[in-house]
Each structure stands twice: as structure tokens, then as C-alpha cells.
Amino acid sequence: MKIRILALTVSLFWLVAAAPARERVTVSIPESHPRLILSAEEIAVMRENALSGREPWHGSWQDLQGRLEECFRPGWHAGVYTGDNSHDYYLAATRDGSFARDLAIAYHISGEGRYARKALEIIGCWLEPDPMPGTLFDPAVRYPNTGMEVARATFPFLYAYDLLCAGGQVPDSTRDRFGDWLRTLLPHVFEGARRWQENDWFDRQYYQNHIAAEVLGLMSMGIVLRDEELVSYAVDCELNARDALDVIEGVILMEGQSPYYREPVDIPPADGEIMDRYRHFSLGGHYGDYVTQPGRALQYCGLTSTILVTLGEMARLNGADLYGWTAPSGECIILPLLYYADFYIHKTTLIKSGFYAGEDDRINTNDTTTFCLWEVARCRFPEEETFRRVLEANERGSMTLHLLGPVTLTHGR
């Protein structure tokens, strides 16, 4: 049974205030898989590249095969989490979902059934418990974080499931159970969005990675469930105070706009910077006794940029062009990719405004800030030479990207 968005959300979200007219975006979800990230044609390109013997795909394919052997060793098992702490869920689901996603990718490259069987085995382990994982999370434990953690941690499972369905590997019983699981998880994402709004976005953090992640969760689950109403709500809906278009417009800064009001320095933003840049500083008072760790602006700006790109990836196969969409004030997904590229080309934070100075250790050391985001950027914007330079300045195929995995294989061109 489809989620009825209007009934669920009218009482949860206020109508967006009057604003300059923006280009509307509609969605249309294909009936068949794949429909989340890669098209059938792109899967064929991935397979051809991986098996061509050419670099960087040859080395990346060998690396993926080597990493996946861990799943086939005696004693390895899925670490299903059914408790009430959404952070523990995040850690366990990210680990197992990432293995399932990469196994599904390996299946499409090699045609070897053992990869598909192991991916289905992992998914099956997460579908087996009763009650299902994510049924109950204690709001007192991760009150501001649960919606974001469920959205990001569940995404690799969705990617794996979509690829396995595209390969005809998922029995009807698993499809039914997987849909039930998503309907168990969805209320946590809605509730996460409600908590942020109800608490004035936890000290006026009106746009940042949590809000983007909740859009990611609603959109990706809706695509897999083939719930067009849910996906439309996530992408462009006046009942949703933070749909994908709002996030693109709000989280990307432009010259002349104001960054987060608590930044303790007066360094105006440039076109394409991400609101999360305030994570450069140690700030408390958002919720309880939590204080942000300093020196993590690049990490969090990279995370939010990755989420924006993943929104763009999902939209492509579902009748919408978020990559080509521009807000009335000029924000668009390509801008942060252009702005942050130089940090990964020159490997220093002593550039541009100097805002990020001292964060050199965040360059290419964390899967939410790695240069391989520009594998996807180069694939979708092949005419942009800046993105080619990022890849030339780094060792392609040596890292995986948060949410999307081994992007040199899936998106490398």
C-alpha cells in the first residue's frame, strides 16, 4: 500500500512563504529496475570498462574483488542491529549495506552468481528479524540525528536492491518483505524532519547535511517503492518545507548571502560554498551538551555535496533534471563541485578566502570528503575541465565514495 503523503504531512509542515517563482520539477518513476542510480546502458558501460583491462578500471575492479572476498571467508556474517540506538543502526547498516551494494555491482560486472547470492543473503538477514530493524528507536538517545542516520545508512541497501532487481535476482517474497522494511523506516525520516522544524532547526541551522539527508531518504525510498507521491513530496512540494529544490537553494551559498549566523569570523562566502562550512569551528548550544568538533568544514561540505550529487543521480532516471535546475538566486548543484575542486587539485587549504585553513588533513582522508566525488561530476559534466584536473591530481580507483561506493567503476569515464 502506497504512503499517502498528503494525509501524513499536512499537520507536520508549514507552507513555504511567498518567494520568487522557481522552475517546477515533476517526476515519473519507471516501472522496471534499475531506476535508482545507474541505467541499464550505464551498467553495460561499467561492465565493458571493468573487463577491458584498461586503467583506472582494471585496478579498481581488482580492488573491489579483493575487498569483497572478506564476505566469503568462514565466520563472516551480517551484523544486523535491532536495538533502539539509531547511531548503532547507522554503523551496522552502513557496513552491511555497502557490502551488499558492492556485491551487486560485482555481479553485474562479472555475471558470477555468487556475488548476487551473497548480496541477497545479507539483505535477507536484515529482513528476517521480527520486529524488523528500525522498528523502535529511543528518541532520548539520538533525538536530532535519527532521521539523518536512517536515511544515509539505508541508502546502500536500496542501491543493492535496485541492481539485484535489475538482474532478476530478487524473489517476490523478498520484494514484499523489503517493501515492508522501508515502510517501517520511513516514519523515522519524517519524524526527523519534524523534530528539526519543531525545534527551530536546532538554533537556526536552517540548511545543512541533516536536512539534505532526510530528503535523500524520502526520495530514495519512494523511488524503490515506486511511490510517485512520496518522491514528488521529496523533490518539489509546497507542503514540504525542505524539499530537494529548497535544499539546493538553501544549502548552497552565493556571494552576498549570509552564512550561518554563529560563524565567529567575517569571511563572506563565494558562489558554491556549502552552509555546513561553520563546522570549521567549535560550537555548542544546538542541542543538549553537544559541541561540534572543529576543523571539519571540508568534511561536512563534502558530505552535503555528495548528498546533492546523489539527489541529482536519482532524479536522472525518474523524469527530473536536478543537475540542470537553477534556483532564482543562482544556486545549482555544479557550483559546490566547482568551488571545492581546487582543494583536491592543489591539496592545500591555504587557498581562496583562507576560511578552511588548517584542514589539510581532511583532504582525501574520509569517505565523505574524498576527491572521487569528482568521478561523478566528470561523468555528468564532461565538458568541465576542472573536474578532469581533480582526477588527474589524484589516484583514481583508490577510494570509494560515501553512499555511491566504487564510483571509478560505476561512473568513471
Side-chain angles (χ1 to χ4, degrees):
M1 182 173 57
K2 286 195 172 187
I3 302 292
R4 308 310 300 173
I5 296 305
L6 294 179
L8 279 174
T9 60
V10 166
S11 63
L12 298 181
F13 298 101
W14 39 266
L15 290 175
V16 179
R22 70 184 189 188
E23 180 185 354
R24 304 309 299 262
V25 172
T26 59
V27 300
S28 178
I29 306 174
E31 183 175 352
S32 61
H33 296 271
R35 57 175 179 252
L36 190 66
I37 298 295
L38 298 177
S39 68
E41 293 75 18
E42 289 166 336
I43 290 172
V45 171
M46 173 183 70
R47 182 186 308 114
E48 180 181 356
N49 285 338
L51 301 179
S52 69
R54 300 191 306 270
E55 297 297 352
W57 304 285
H58 175 69
S60 187
W61 172 224
Q62 288 188 315
D63 177 70
L64 178 61
Q65 290 174 290
R67 287 191 288 107
L68 292 178
E69 284 307 307
E70 179 182 346
C71 300
F72 296 98
R73 292 174 186 151
W76 189 93
H77 58 84
V80 181
Y81 179 78
T82 58
D84 64 0
N85 186 318
S86 61
H87 182 65
D88 291 340
Y89 171 91
Y90 173 85
L91 296 175
T94 297
R95 170 195 181 257
D96 288 356
S98 296
F99 271 125
R101 174 200 63 212
D102 293 354
L103 286 160
I105 288 170
Y107 165 71
H108 276 284
I109 291 172
S110 68
E112 294 183 27
R114 71 182 189 121
Y115 290 122
R117 289 191 295 272
K118 180 59 71 171
L120 278 171
E121 177 187 315
I122 293 170
I123 291 172
C125 288
W126 279 79
L127 299 181
E128 184 178 345
D130 187 14
M132 304 181 89
T135 299
L136 296 173
F137 288 127
D138 185 349
V141 178
R142 300 287 290 175
Y143 182 80
N145 302 304
T146 294
M148 172 271 292
E149 289 168 340
V150 169
R152 285 169 54 193
T154 307
F155 183 85
F157 278 113
L158 302 176
Y159 196 172
Y161 176 83
D162 182 59
L163 290 174
L164 292 171
C165 286
Q169 299 297 305
V170 184
D172 289 344
S173 58
T174 301
R175 292 184 184 227
D176 292 343
R177 186 71 172 165
F178 196 83
D180 290 342
W181 186 35
L182 297 191
R183 294 180 184 94
T184 297
L185 296 171
L186 266 170
H188 294 299
V189 184
F190 276 110
E191 174 64 10
R194 187 197 66 79
R195 289 174 185 171
W196 276 74
Q197 182 178 348
E198 187 177 72
N199 289 276
D200 193 25
W201 316 97
F202 296 105
D203 195 17
R204 294 184 269 175
Q205 298 177 91
Y206 294 128
Y207 293 95
Q208 47 92 278
N209 69 91
H210 284 247
I211 294 151
E214 286 156 357
V215 171
L216 171 89
L218 297 177
M219 184 175 176
S220 58
M221 291 182 194
I223 288 169
V224 169
L225 289 169
R226 200 163 182 261
D227 187 337
E228 204 158 280
E229 190 175 14
L230 174 56
V231 177
S232 295
Y233 175 81
V235 173
D236 184 8
C237 179
E238 289 185 345
L239 291 174
N240 185 354
R242 292 294 185 270
D243 61 30
L245 303 189
D246 295 319
V247 168
I248 293 170
E249 183 173 6
V251 83
I252 298 173
L253 294 166
M254 302 292 285
E255 183 178 354
Q257 293 181 352
S258 298
Y260 182 51
Y261 85 102
R262 290 185 60 195
E263 287 187 2
V265 298
D266 184 16
I267 301 179
D271 291 353
E273 286 192 77
I274 293 290
M275 186 71 77
D276 296 76
R277 74 177 201 161
Y278 63 84
R279 296 302 295 262
H280 188 67
F281 308 102
S282 179
L283 301 175
H286 295 125
Y287 179 78
D289 59 0
Y290 176 73
V291 178
T292 62
Q293 296 182 32
R296 302 179 75 180
L298 274 185
Q299 176 182 343
Y300 278 88
C301 291
L303 168 59
T304 299
S305 296
T306 299
I307 294 172
L308 292 178
V309 164
T310 305
L311 296 179
E313 287 294 287
M314 290 189 291
R316 293 173 53 253
L317 302 187
N318 292 277
D321 180 15
L322 293 186
Y323 280 131
W325 184 83
T326 300
S329 45
E331 297 88 350
C332 54
I333 290 175
I334 195 174
L335 289 180
L337 298 170
L338 288 168
Y339 181 83
Y340 291 103
D342 286 336
F343 295 99
Y344 297 88
I345 294 171
H346 302 293
K347 314 292 179 61
T348 178
T349 53
L350 298 176
I351 57 174
K352 299 187 181 280
S353 68
F355 184 95
Y356 304 86
E359 294 196 19
D360 289 34
D361 61 347
R362 290 289 169 182
I363 297 175
N364 291 344
T365 60
N366 182 289
D367 68 356
T368 60
T369 75
T370 180
F371 77 90
C372 60
L373 172 59
W374 281 267
E375 289 280 15
V376 187
R378 174 68 168 163
C379 180
R380 302 308 177 208
F381 301 98
E383 72 288 348
E384 182 50 63
E385 287 301 302
T386 299
F387 303 157
R388 176 184 57 80
R389 291 175 59 208
V390 176
L391 301 182
E392 289 178 345
N394 294 275
E395 183 183 354
R396 296 179 70 187
S398 61
M399 288 187 177
T400 63
L401 182 64
H402 179 60
L403 301 175
L404 296 177
V407 287
T408 301
L409 284 173
T410 57
H411 292 76
R413 297 292 185 267

